[in-house]
Amino acid sequence: MDKLKVMTIFGTRPEAIKMAPLVKELERREEIESLCCVTAQHRQMLDSVLDIFGIVPQFDLDIMEPSQTLSTITTKCLLGLEKVFQEVRPDLVLVHGDTSTTFAGALAAYYQKIAVGHVEAGLRTWDRYSPFPEEMNRSMVGRLAQLHFCPTAANRRNLEAEGVRDGLFVTGNTVIDALQTTVLKEFRFAEDVLNRLDYGGKKVILVTCHRRENYGKPMEDIMAALAHIAQTHPEAELVYPVHLSPAVQECAHRYLDGIENVHLIVPLDVEEMHNLMARSYLVMTDSGGLQEEAPALGKPVLVLRKETERPEAVQAGTVKLAGVDYDAIVSMADELLDDSAAYAKMAHAVNPYGDGRACRRIVDAVLYQFGRTDRPPETFQG
Ligand code: UD1
Ligand code: UDP
């Protein structure tokens, strides 16, 4: 029997981090021919992940432009992928999550009548403009895909509520698979300021912020709140690897430059990021991925957004929604910095998003759906 041709398509940093262990798992299976196509919606931040995991894509669309718009990303991906599919015809395309690459990848495959599998399926806020455009991207991919790999049972229920009945699997999130290979007891950072930080004596606050719906006033309020927190807490060291988006760079530097205990640094590679997180006191972020990783490392998270599609860790008590309002962000950070009982209540490791075996389950499910094995995949129990 011919090998099953499976093509992974991804383009941004978070997709790459979460697809990398899946690419490795696909490569390990002898029933599968694994092909990888990157759109390079992100260039530097993608290449850093490819380097670390040792992935050399067969196709690279190299679409990134400075200050790119949603329309240019989507159209460049669609046109580029059409050519790729003319050259090779995969039996299955796997896309991840909710970016413009994800949506365009699923749509381009659908146009060629190629089966689509959606990794990290079923996350919803039910607010079409928040996160923007991710909520609509993942909803549309939910319609285009035939296979839905849901990290949690709640994600599966979201899809069932939308009428999806077939091809649903609860697998855990592949980011937890990635996390198991990166965090080390002894770690030397490339950025020397991170080697010099006093992780035991100081309270290191790890910050990231990049979401499009936060551009403008919400992001300005977030940055102003971060400046105030740093200035009123000399016992804290705020470390912020700033996303390369020009809108984010400008805002972060305008509010945070020149504050002694604020360190604005370049984006970290994923090993550095996970090791910094493991050594931090607190995480403040609007990132999706950090909301999943920090609870697994026992780090409290304040989410700099009004909603989250990841309620599991909020329910488990390690993540709180701080919102985008200056006063609310300051008072929630003050509480975690000043009140050790409040901090201890949040600082315990939970793993609602995975157990490190998501990729194995996803590939088992693919082989099962394509009739290459009679053994159904195991379900992640949470
Ligand atoms: C994208 C995703 C978002 C995801 C985020 C992860 C969409 C619409 N948005 O948002 O869902 O959470 O990635 O980080 O798909 N840039 C560089 N080098 C890089 C990466 C980015 O210079 O390696 C700059 C470029 O100027 C680019 C800009 O950042 O135009 C914005 O990148 P883009 O992918 O459009 O949006 P993100 O905010 O990164
Ligand atoms: N990350 C990283 N370096 C950084 C910031 C984030 O490696 O400087 C990792 C982080 O650990 C997580 C992923 O990138 O795995 C999250 O990406 P991002 O916040 O850009 O996107 P989101 O998850 O919000 O879509």
Side-chain angles (χ1 to χ4, degrees), residues 209 214 217-227 304 323-324 329:
C209 184
N214 280 342
K217 167 114 174 54
M219 199 170 281
E220 306 221 345
D221 285 358
I222 290 170
M223 299 301 165
L226 294 171
L304 305 170
V324 293
I329 295 169

Side-chain angles (χ1 to χ4, degrees), residues 205 225 228-229 233 281-284 300-305 314 318-339 342-343 346:
I205 306 176
H228 179 83
I229 293 162
H233 290 278
Y281 177 84
L282 168 66
V283 176
M284 297 179 71
V301 181
L302 294 179
V303 177
L304 305 170
R305 289 171 51 180
V314 178
T318 63
V319 171
K320 277 189 186 169
L321 273 182
V324 293
D325 174 69
Y326 176 96
D327 291 327
I329 295 169
V330 168
S331 83
M332 289 174 89
D334 280 348
E335 187 188 27
L336 288 175
L337 289 162
D338 295 336
D339 178 347
Y343 179 82
M346 282 183 79

Side-chain angles (χ1 to χ4, degrees), residues 8-9 58 62 68 103 146 189 222 237 241 248 304 319-320 342 348 353 368 379:
T8 42
I9 297 179
Q58 283 79 12
D62 197 23
Q68 57 204 0
F103 168 55
Q146 283 116 305
F189 294 95
I222 290 170
E237 296 282 350
V248 180
L304 305 170
V319 171
K320 277 189 186 169
H348 53 90
Y353 300 112
Y368 179 68
T379 297

Side-chain angles (χ1 to χ4, degrees), residues 10-224:
F10 50 95
T12 67
R13 171 174 65 195
E15 296 165 78
I17 292 170
K18 292 167 163 183
M19 286 295 243
L22 185 56
V23 171
K24 294 285 166 199
E25 184 66 25
L26 289 164
E27 285 171 355
R28 266 194 288 274
R29 304 295 183 102
E30 58 185 22
E31 306 91 325
I32 289 175
E33 179 186 352
S34 172
L35 296 166
C36 176
C37 172
V38 294
T39 64
Q41 174 178 336
H42 286 172
R43 185 72 271 171
Q44 302 90 326
M45 285 156 57
L46 171 77
D47 290 346
S48 142
V49 183
L50 295 175
D51 280 354
I52 284 187
F53 287 94
I55 294 171
V56 181
Q58 283 79 12
F59 300 92
D60 188 332
L61 305 184
D62 197 23
I63 68 157
M64 194 189 88
E65 292 171 17
S67 303
Q68 57 204 0
T69 69
L70 300 178
S71 306
T72 57
I73 303 170
T74 307
T75 48
K76 283 171 113 177
C77 286
L78 279 175
L79 292 169
L81 288 168
E82 189 175 57
K83 287 210 188 82
V84 171
F85 294 149
Q86 277 159 5
E87 199 178 322
V88 283
R89 213 189 139 73
D91 298 303
L92 173 69
V93 154
L94 294 175
V95 294
H96 181 279
D98 53 20
T99 72
S100 294
T101 287
T102 315
F103 168 55
L107 186 61
Y110 167 77
Y111 284 162
Q112 303 297 322
K113 300 198 175 135
I114 295 169
V116 177
H118 188 197
V119 182
E120 196 173 284
L123 280 69
R124 296 288 184 273
T125 59
W126 312 105
D127 178 342
R128 62 198 277 119
Y129 290 116
S130 193
F132 173 81
E134 290 82 4
E135 178 72 2
M136 193 53 71
N137 283 343
R138 61 195 173 210
S139 304
M140 292 188 292
V141 176
R143 292 286 292 134
L144 293 163
Q146 283 116 305
L147 301 180
H148 311 266
F149 304 108
C150 307
T152 70
N155 302 147
R156 178 186 174 125
R157 287 194 292 276
N158 288 343
L159 284 168
E160 286 169 341
E162 290 178 355
V164 180
R165 293 282 169 269
D166 301 319
L168 290 157
F169 300 93
V170 178
T171 60
N173 197 310
T174 58
V175 78
I176 306 298
D177 299 24
L179 199 55
Q180 295 195 336
T181 64
T182 48
V183 179
L184 303 172
K185 266 209 162 71
E186 299 291 326
F187 189 83
R188 190 137 192 97
F189 294 95
E191 188 79 41
D192 210 36
V193 68
L194 300 182
N195 293 321
R196 290 199 307 268
L197 281 179
D198 175 9
Y199 295 96
K202 295 280 186 164
K203 292 178 175 168
V204 174
I205 306 176
L206 169 60
V207 174
T208 78
C209 184
H210 71 85
R211 304 227 76 85
R212 275 174 199 260
E213 71 275 8
N214 280 342
Y215 284 9
K217 167 114 174 54
M219 199 170 281
E220 306 221 345
D221 285 358
I222 290 170
M223 299 301 165

